[in-house]
Amino acid sequence: IDMIIILLMQAIVQAIFGAGSTASRFLLPLIGFAYFVGFWTLRGQTLGKMAIGARIVRLDGSPIGFVRSFARYAVLLAYFYALAWSAGISLWIAGIIVFIIFATVALSRSKRGLHDLAGGTIVINSRPKLMEDYEEEVWEAPESESDALLLEED
């Protein structure tokens, strides 16, 4: 969802100013900054994270704030520019960079990427658990009549 929104904004900016224009090169990172850092700072989640029920928080569970949002975005922007640069040179290099990005998440115990490490953040599930997600408790009949009376008093 987030990438669709960013790509739509990119298409609009490039239609107005031209694909390789200085204005496009300046505005596109600013739009991404406003979108991601703004949503992360104010809500802890972008529209895409809202849709999947995820939220970005500090390791203690508190909101991430502007500085941590900025750090996350700076690393994500570095990912993007590294991919764009390497794809122009070699798809193999781009593939290696993508592998490194995903490997840092896959191989870490906490499933945090470099952008999470830089921002001191973690992505959590923000949706409340459904009743089906809880283990079914097995009710056992009381063994004696006195146990049954104790249960009725509770």
Side-chain angles (χ1 to χ4, degrees):
I1 292 175
D2 294 329
M3 290 317 299
I4 292 170
I5 292 168
I6 294 297
L7 289 173
L8 260 167
M9 291 182 197
Q10 177 182 355
I12 292 167
V13 167
Q14 290 179 346
I16 294 170
F17 297 104
S21 71
T22 303
S24 290
R25 286 189 212 144
F26 178 73
L27 285 174
L28 291 175
L30 281 179
I31 290 170
F33 176 85
Y35 178 79
F36 287 104
V37 175
F39 270 108
W40 292 339
T41 300
L42 297 174
R43 296 190 49 94
Q45 55 191 168
T46 58
L47 296 174
K49 290 224 182 311
M50 286 181 217
I52 64 168
R55 180 179 301 276
I56 304 164
V57 295
R58 292 171 60 167
L59 296 178
D60 64 3
S62 63
I64 65 174
F66 176 77
V67 172
R68 292 174 192 276
S69 296
F70 180 82
R72 279 179 59 91
Y73 184 72
V75 173
L76 289 175
L77 199 59
Y79 286 163
F80 172 76
Y81 280 114
L83 282 173
W85 170 80
S86 63
I89 295 173
S90 165
L91 290 179
W92 283 101
I93 295 173
I96 291 169
I97 291 172
V98 169
F99 175 78
I100 290 169
I101 291 168
F102 284 106
T104 58
V105 175
L107 298 177
S108 73
R109 285 186 183 157
S110 61
K111 302 301 179 213
R112 295 169 59 209
L114 294 176
H115 54 290
D116 286 314
L117 296 173
T121 60
I122 192 165
V123 178
I124 62 167
N125 183 352
S126 65
R127 291 187 178 155
K129 277 187 140 182
L130 300 173
M131 289 306 292
E132 299 89 47
D133 293 338
Y134 290 97
E135 290 184 27
E136 192 174 304
E137 293 182 23
V138 178
W139 183 81
E140 294 181 22
E143 291 181 18
S144 67
E145 193 171 310
S146 62
D147 288 340
L149 291 174
L150 288 174
L151 285 175
E152 288 179 4
E153 291 175 5
D154 291 337

